[in-house]
Amino acid sequence: MADVVSAVHYLATRADQVALLDYLDEPRAVSLHRWPVLPSQSETLHRDDALITEQVMVVHRDLGTAMPNLPGHKAMEAANRSGLFNRLNWERLRPGPGESLVDSNASPVLLWTPGAVVGSAIYLSAIGSQADAMGAVSPEYETWVRRVMGWVRRRGTKVWGLERHGIRPDLDIRLAIVSNVYAMPGALAALEHGGYGTAQ
């Protein structure tokens, strides 16, 4: 799972993920795309394909689109942590002709990592922003990100965090992270009936 700078982590069934996409008003208000390589022509993912894609970019049409990041661009050449990771990602992913990387600090987009359900295993999901400072992208973007993460927290039930086993000792959660993790309604029911939460 990608390290999302500001995100909510959660466990979800397919029905829970569909409810999230409905809340986001996909496909009317938002579109889904692969992350982090931007093709020369925008490719939109159908939600069924997005649900089995490791990293998905969520674009809100009213807030703008993803900004490209290429060698020579300020974001790529920056002498900070962000610039270093941009250069490492460029070398690792090797985008083809006409392709670029997402400029996380200039793009009003969400990074969504939808976890799968395989048998009794419910894999960890996350949704949030990769921007170092969301407000620097735009105040409207920051509001949207916080609203989406808040929806997941309100709809979900906290099942993991700093207190770890003291939160829901009756549930089988196999995670090494200390971040709060929320189980969406379908996932919570599955956990209560013998399922277990785990990382990718």
Side-chain angles (χ1 to χ4, degrees):
M1 177 174 292
D3 180 21
V4 189
V5 176
S6 180
V8 60
H9 296 84
Y10 65 97
L11 299 167
T13 62
R14 178 185 174 85
D16 294 324
Q17 303 282 28
V18 168
L20 172 60
L21 291 172
D22 288 344
Y23 169 74
L24 291 168
D25 199 13
E26 189 279 334
R28 289 177 296 185
V30 306
S31 57
L32 309 173
H33 310 267
R34 297 186 189 279
W35 175 287
V37 176
L38 298 176
S40 56
Q41 294 185 340
S42 179
E43 298 176 4
T44 301
L45 293 172
H46 185 275
R47 62 170 58 184
D48 288 339
D49 295 322
L51 285 167
I52 57 172
T53 300
E54 185 177 347
Q55 298 181 343
V56 178
M57 179 173 62
V58 183
V59 177
H60 195 304
R61 292 185 178 89
D62 290 344
L63 297 179
T65 190
M67 300 300 293
N69 191 3
L70 292 159
H73 285 196
K74 182 179 178 180
M76 186 70 72
E77 306 304 327
N80 55 19
R81 176 180 176 275
S82 178
L84 173 62
F85 278 104
N86 285 333
R87 293 188 293 276
L88 290 174
N89 280 334
W90 186 271
E91 289 300 317
R92 178 175 64 88
L93 298 169
R94 298 188 178 278
E99 296 180 334
S100 63
L101 297 182
V102 177
D103 184 346
S104 300
N105 286 322
S107 301
V109 300
L110 298 173
L111 171 56
W112 177 39
T113 56
V117 177
V118 181
S120 297
I122 305 172
Y123 288 89
L124 192 64
S125 298
I127 191 165
S129 172
Q130 281 280 77
D132 292 332
M134 293 185 290
V137 178
S138 79
E140 295 79 12
Y141 169 65
E142 182 173 17
T143 297
W144 180 51
V145 175
R146 296 195 184 283
R147 184 179 298 128
V148 171
M149 294 192 301
W151 183 87
V152 172
R153 292 187 186 104
R154 289 191 306 275
R155 185 172 175 84
T157 298
K158 185 177 173 183
V159 295
W160 190 254
L162 283 174
E163 304 90 344
R164 298 197 177 199
H165 302 292
I167 298 174
R168 284 295 300 264
D170 58 313
L171 302 181
D172 187 356
I173 309 290
R174 308 173 187 179
L175 297 172
I177 65 172
V178 296
S179 300
N180 290 335
V181 176
Y182 299 83
M184 303 300 275
L188 182 61
L191 291 169
E192 291 174 339
H193 289 85
Y196 65 93
T198 187
Q200 294 282 23

PDB file of all heavy atoms in Angstrom, residues 64-86:
ATOM      1  N   GLY A  64     -10.662  20.477 -10.668  1.00  0.00           N
ATOM      2  CA  GLY A  64      -9.525  20.469 -11.586  1.00  0.00           C
ATOM      3  C   GLY A  64      -9.006  19.062 -11.779  1.00  0.00           C
ATOM      4  O   GLY A  64      -9.536  18.098 -11.225  1.00  0.00           O
ATOM      5  N   THR A  65      -7.966  18.940 -12.540  1.00  0.00           N
ATOM      6  CA  THR A  65      -7.438  17.631 -12.903  1.00  0.00           C
ATOM      7  C   THR A  65      -6.021  17.463 -12.389  1.00  0.00           C
ATOM      8  O   THR A  65      -5.434  18.390 -11.812  1.00  0.00           O
ATOM      9  CB  THR A  65      -7.484  17.440 -14.429  1.00  0.00           C
ATOM     10  OG1 THR A  65      -7.173  16.080 -14.730  1.00  0.00           O
ATOM     11  CG2 THR A  65      -6.494  18.369 -15.127  1.00  0.00           C
ATOM     12  N   ALA A  66      -5.457  16.308 -12.605  1.00  0.00           N
ATOM     13  CA  ALA A  66      -4.097  16.024 -12.162  1.00  0.00           C
ATOM     14  C   ALA A  66      -3.089  16.839 -12.966  1.00  0.00           C
ATOM     15  O   ALA A  66      -3.220  16.970 -14.184  1.00  0.00           O
ATOM     16  CB  ALA A  66      -3.805  14.535 -12.303  1.00  0.00           C
ATOM     17  N   MET A  67      -2.093  17.349 -12.261  1.00  0.00           N
ATOM     18  CA  MET A  67      -1.025  18.112 -12.906  1.00  0.00           C
ATOM     19  C   MET A  67       0.156  17.185 -13.167  1.00  0.00           C
ATOM     20  O   MET A  67       0.530  16.383 -12.311  1.00  0.00           O
ATOM     21  CB  MET A  67      -0.601  19.279 -12.013  1.00  0.00           C
ATOM     22  CG  MET A  67      -1.734  20.248 -11.706  1.00  0.00           C
ATOM     23  SD  MET A  67      -2.436  20.989 -13.190  1.00  0.00           S
ATOM     24  CE  MET A  67      -1.051  21.984 -13.730  1.00  0.00           C
ATOM     25  N   PRO A  68       0.772  17.287 -14.361  1.00  0.00           N
ATOM     26  CA  PRO A  68       1.885  16.396 -14.685  1.00  0.00           C
ATOM     27  C   PRO A  68       3.183  16.804 -14.000  1.00  0.00           C
ATOM     28  O   PRO A  68       3.411  17.970 -13.691  1.00  0.00           O
ATOM     29  CB  PRO A  68       1.997  16.549 -16.201  1.00  0.00           C
ATOM     30  CG  PRO A  68       1.498  17.930 -16.470  1.00  0.00           C
ATOM     31  CD  PRO A  68       0.417  18.177 -15.464  1.00  0.00           C
ATOM     32  N   ASN A  69       4.018  15.813 -13.780  1.00  0.00           N
ATOM     33  CA  ASN A  69       5.328  16.019 -13.177  1.00  0.00           C
ATOM     34  C   ASN A  69       6.350  15.299 -14.047  1.00  0.00           C
ATOM     35  O   ASN A  69       6.285  14.081 -14.201  1.00  0.00           O
ATOM     36  CB  ASN A  69       5.324  15.457 -11.747  1.00  0.00           C
ATOM     37  CG  ASN A  69       6.549  15.865 -10.973  1.00  0.00           C
ATOM     38  OD1 ASN A  69       7.393  16.611 -11.457  1.00  0.00           O
ATOM     39  ND2 ASN A  69       6.662  15.366  -9.755  1.00  0.00           N
ATOM     40  N   LEU A  70       7.265  16.062 -14.628  1.00  0.00           N
ATOM     41  CA  LEU A  70       8.239  15.531 -15.572  1.00  0.00           C
ATOM     42  C   LEU A  70       9.649  15.985 -15.191  1.00  0.00           C
ATOM     43  O   LEU A  70       9.815  16.981 -14.478  1.00  0.00           O
ATOM     44  CB  LEU A  70       7.940  16.037 -16.989  1.00  0.00           C
ATOM     45  CG  LEU A  70       6.667  15.520 -17.662  1.00  0.00           C
ATOM     46  CD1 LEU A  70       6.244  16.458 -18.786  1.00  0.00           C
ATOM     47  CD2 LEU A  70       6.903  14.118 -18.194  1.00  0.00           C
ATOM     48  N   PRO A  71      10.678  15.277 -15.655  1.00  0.00           N
ATOM     49  CA  PRO A  71      12.041  15.766 -15.437  1.00  0.00           C
ATOM     50  C   PRO A  71      12.187  17.202 -15.943  1.00  0.00           C
ATOM     51  O   PRO A  71      11.705  17.545 -17.023  1.00  0.00           O
ATOM     52  CB  PRO A  71      12.895  14.787 -16.264  1.00  0.00           C
ATOM     53  CG  PRO A  71      12.096  13.523 -16.279  1.00  0.00           C
ATOM     54  CD  PRO A  71      10.658  13.980 -16.349  1.00  0.00           C
ATOM     55  N   GLY A  72      12.802  18.031 -15.143  1.00  0.00           N
ATOM     56  CA  GLY A  72      12.944  19.447 -15.471  1.00  0.00           C
ATOM     57  C   GLY A  72      11.902  20.312 -14.798  1.00  0.00           C
ATOM     58  O   GLY A  72      12.102  21.514 -14.652  1.00  0.00           O
ATOM     59  N   HIS A  73      10.774  19.714 -14.391  1.00  0.00           N
ATOM     60  CA  HIS A  73       9.760  20.472 -13.667  1.00  0.00           C
ATOM     61  C   HIS A  73      10.238  20.769 -12.251  1.00  0.00           C
ATOM     62  O   HIS A  73      11.029  20.015 -11.673  1.00  0.00           O
ATOM     63  CB  HIS A  73       8.444  19.693 -13.605  1.00  0.00           C
ATOM     64  CG  HIS A  73       7.695  19.682 -14.904  1.00  0.00           C
ATOM     65  ND1 HIS A  73       6.375  19.323 -14.997  1.00  0.00           N
ATOM     66  CD2 HIS A  73       8.082  19.989 -16.167  1.00  0.00           C
ATOM     67  CE1 HIS A  73       5.971  19.404 -16.253  1.00  0.00           C
ATOM     68  NE2 HIS A  73       6.999  19.798 -16.979  1.00  0.00           N
ATOM     69  N   LYS A  74       9.736  21.851 -11.695  1.00  0.00           N
ATOM     70  CA  LYS A  74      10.136  22.275 -10.352  1.00  0.00           C
ATOM     71  C   LYS A  74       9.912  21.184  -9.317  1.00  0.00           C
ATOM     72  O   LYS A  74      10.770  20.924  -8.466  1.00  0.00           O
ATOM     73  CB  LYS A  74       9.353  23.535  -9.971  1.00  0.00           C
ATOM     74  CG  LYS A  74       9.702  24.108  -8.616  1.00  0.00           C
ATOM     75  CD  LYS A  74       8.893  25.364  -8.335  1.00  0.00           C
ATOM     76  CE  LYS A  74       9.204  25.905  -6.948  1.00  0.00           C
ATOM     77  NZ  LYS A  74       8.410  27.139  -6.661  1.00  0.00           N
ATOM     78  N   ALA A  75       8.762  20.506  -9.395  1.00  0.00           N
ATOM     79  CA  ALA A  75       8.448  19.461  -8.416  1.00  0.00           C
ATOM     80  C   ALA A  75       9.406  18.284  -8.516  1.00  0.00           C
ATOM     81  O   ALA A  75       9.706  17.629  -7.522  1.00  0.00           O
ATOM     82  CB  ALA A  75       7.010  18.987  -8.599  1.00  0.00           C
ATOM     83  N   MET A  76       9.898  18.003  -9.724  1.00  0.00           N
ATOM     84  CA  MET A  76      10.810  16.885  -9.919  1.00  0.00           C
ATOM     85  C   MET A  76      12.214  17.221  -9.433  1.00  0.00           C
ATOM     86  O   MET A  76      12.925  16.374  -8.898  1.00  0.00           O
ATOM     87  CB  MET A  76      10.850  16.499 -11.400  1.00  0.00           C
ATOM     88  CG  MET A  76      11.653  15.242 -11.698  1.00  0.00           C
ATOM     89  SD  MET A  76      10.901  13.713 -11.097  1.00  0.00           S
ATOM     90  CE  MET A  76       9.524  13.543 -12.234  1.00  0.00           C
ATOM     91  N   GLU A  77      12.611  18.467  -9.597  1.00  0.00           N
ATOM     92  CA  GLU A  77      13.977  18.866  -9.272  1.00  0.00           C
ATOM     93  C   GLU A  77      14.132  19.432  -7.869  1.00  0.00           C
ATOM     94  O   GLU A  77      15.247  19.774  -7.460  1.00  0.00           O
ATOM     95  CB  GLU A  77      14.462  19.902 -10.298  1.00  0.00           C
ATOM     96  CG  GLU A  77      14.340  19.449 -11.749  1.00  0.00           C
ATOM     97  CD  GLU A  77      15.071  18.137 -12.024  1.00  0.00           C
ATOM     98  OE1 GLU A  77      16.117  17.894 -11.392  1.00  0.00           O
ATOM     99  OE2 GLU A  77      14.576  17.354 -12.849  1.00  0.00           O
ATOM    100  N   ALA A  78      13.042  19.530  -7.108  1.00  0.00           N
ATOM    101  CA  ALA A  78      13.095  20.111  -5.766  1.00  0.00           C
ATOM    102  C   ALA A  78      14.086  19.353  -4.882  1.00  0.00           C
ATOM    103  O   ALA A  78      14.187  18.128  -4.942  1.00  0.00           O
ATOM    104  CB  ALA A  78      11.705  20.096  -5.132  1.00  0.00           C
ATOM    105  N   ALA A  79      14.808  20.110  -4.059  1.00  0.00           N
ATOM    106  CA  ALA A  79      15.824  19.520  -3.182  1.00  0.00           C
ATOM    107  C   ALA A  79      15.236  19.151  -1.828  1.00  0.00           C
ATOM    108  O   ALA A  79      15.885  19.310  -0.796  1.00  0.00           O
ATOM    109  CB  ALA A  79      16.991  20.497  -3.018  1.00  0.00           C
ATOM    110  N   ASN A  80      14.014  18.620  -1.821  1.00  0.00           N
ATOM    111  CA  ASN A  80      13.382  18.218  -0.566  1.00  0.00           C
ATOM    112  C   ASN A  80      12.945  16.757  -0.674  1.00  0.00           C
ATOM    113  O   ASN A  80      13.209  16.083  -1.674  1.00  0.00           O
ATOM    114  CB  ASN A  80      12.182  19.128  -0.238  1.00  0.00           C
ATOM    115  CG  ASN A  80      11.160  19.186  -1.364  1.00  0.00           C
ATOM    116  OD1 ASN A  80      11.119  18.320  -2.244  1.00  0.00           O
ATOM    117  ND2 ASN A  80      10.314  20.203  -1.343  1.00  0.00           N
ATOM    118  N   ARG A  81      12.264  16.267   0.367  1.00  0.00           N
ATOM    119  CA  ARG A  81      11.815  14.865   0.394  1.00  0.00           C
ATOM    120  C   ARG A  81      10.908  14.556  -0.791  1.00  0.00           C
ATOM    121  O   ARG A  81      11.033  13.509  -1.427  1.00  0.00           O
ATOM    122  CB  ARG A  81      11.088  14.604   1.713  1.00  0.00           C
ATOM    123  CG  ARG A  81      10.483  13.222   1.850  1.00  0.00           C
ATOM    124  CD  ARG A  81       9.785  13.084   3.204  1.00  0.00           C
ATOM    125  NE  ARG A  81       9.103  11.814   3.337  1.00  0.00           N
ATOM    126  CZ  ARG A  81       7.885  11.559   2.913  1.00  0.00           C
ATOM    127  NH1 ARG A  81       7.190  12.516   2.288  1.00  0.00           N
ATOM    128  NH2 ARG A  81       7.331  10.375   3.090  1.00  0.00           N
ATOM    129  N   SER A  82       9.988  15.476  -1.082  1.00  0.00           N
ATOM    130  CA  SER A  82       9.051  15.271  -2.176  1.00  0.00           C
ATOM    131  C   SER A  82       9.779  15.128  -3.507  1.00  0.00           C
ATOM    132  O   SER A  82       9.481  14.244  -4.308  1.00  0.00           O
ATOM    133  CB  SER A  82       8.059  16.431  -2.231  1.00  0.00           C
ATOM    134  OG  SER A  82       7.167  16.270  -3.305  1.00  0.00           O
ATOM    135  N   GLY A  83      10.750  16.010  -3.757  1.00  0.00           N
ATOM    136  CA  GLY A  83      11.515  15.940  -4.997  1.00  0.00           C
ATOM    137  C   GLY A  83      12.296  14.648  -5.114  1.00  0.00           C
ATOM    138  O   GLY A  83      12.370  14.042  -6.192  1.00  0.00           O
ATOM    139  N   LEU A  84      12.877  14.210  -3.987  1.00  0.00           N
ATOM    140  CA  LEU A  84      13.625  12.951  -3.994  1.00  0.00           C
ATOM    141  C   LEU A  84      12.721  11.793  -4.366  1.00  0.00           C
ATOM    142  O   LEU A  84      13.067  10.960  -5.221  1.00  0.00           O
ATOM    143  CB  LEU A  84      14.253  12.715  -2.621  1.00  0.00           C
ATOM    144  CG  LEU A  84      14.921  11.350  -2.423  1.00  0.00           C
ATOM    145  CD1 LEU A  84      16.083  11.172  -3.386  1.00  0.00           C
ATOM    146  CD2 LEU A  84      15.393  11.180  -0.983  1.00  0.00           C
ATOM    147  N   PHE A  85      11.534  11.714  -3.754  1.00  0.00           N
ATOM    148  CA  PHE A  85      10.621  10.617  -4.064  1.00  0.00           C
ATOM    149  C   PHE A  85      10.110  10.701  -5.502  1.00  0.00           C
ATOM    150  O   PHE A  85       9.899   9.670  -6.153  1.00  0.00           O
ATOM    151  CB  PHE A  85       9.452  10.597  -3.080  1.00  0.00           C
ATOM    152  CG  PHE A  85       9.796   9.917  -1.780  1.00  0.00           C
ATOM    153  CD1 PHE A  85      10.049  10.649  -0.644  1.00  0.00           C
ATOM    154  CD2 PHE A  85       9.884   8.537  -1.723  1.00  0.00           C
ATOM    155  CE1 PHE A  85      10.381  10.013   0.536  1.00  0.00           C
ATOM    156  CE2 PHE A  85      10.212   7.891  -0.541  1.00  0.00           C
ATOM    157  CZ  PHE A  85      10.467   8.634   0.600  1.00  0.00           C
ATOM    158  N   ASN A  86       9.934  11.919  -6.019  1.00  0.00           N
ATOM    159  CA  ASN A  86       9.530  12.069  -7.416  1.00  0.00           C
ATOM    160  C   ASN A  86      10.583  11.475  -8.350  1.00  0.00           C
ATOM    161  O   ASN A  86      10.266  10.756  -9.305  1.00  0.00           O
ATOM    162  CB  ASN A  86       9.310  13.544  -7.752  1.00  0.00           C
ATOM    163  CG  ASN A  86       8.025  14.089  -7.177  1.00  0.00           C
ATOM    164  OD1 ASN A  86       7.068  13.361  -6.950  1.00  0.00           O
ATOM    165  ND2 ASN A  86       8.005  15.388  -6.921  1.00  0.00           N
TER     166      ASN A  86
END
